[in-house]
Amino acid sequence: MVLRRVLLALLSSPRVVERLSESRPIRAAARLTAAAITSGQLSARRAARGLTPCLLRLRDAVLAELKGSARGWPWPPRRGSGQGGRPGAAP
């Protein structure tokens, strides 16, 4: 609890934060973090490129299945008494 308050007091001071940001370990940690984020983004883009043909085939298959199964359904649905609509609306 006391340590938390001390850290909060130190990190709320702009002068301390500026001096810490100029220190060698903090700069090294920032460089490592930026490199990890960049390599992760590149890997994700490469993986997404590899998935694109598979996802397109999946989309086409799902759309074909939906279109095929919807052929037997009456569309648009008929509206009339007992067929939906607002409650209390005149038929």
Side-chain angles (χ1 to χ4, degrees), residues 51-63:
L51 283 177
T52 302
C54 296
L55 292 175
L56 290 175
R57 282 196 306 270
L58 177 65
R59 182 196 67 186
D60 293 341
V62 168
L63 285 176

Side-chain angles (χ1 to χ4, degrees), residues 5-52:
R5 287 187 182 177
V6 170
L7 285 175
L8 184 64
L10 284 175
L11 293 178
S12 63
S13 168
R15 183 175 170 215
V16 172
V17 171
E18 183 180 343
R19 290 193 69 194
L20 277 174
S21 69
E22 293 172 355
S23 69
R24 190 173 289 187
I26 298 295
R27 284 187 292 160
R31 243 183 269 120
L32 283 173
T33 304
I37 289 172
T38 304
S39 69
Q41 286 176 342
L42 290 174
S43 297
R45 286 185 185 144
R46 286 186 196 123
R49 276 192 219 125
L51 283 177
T52 302

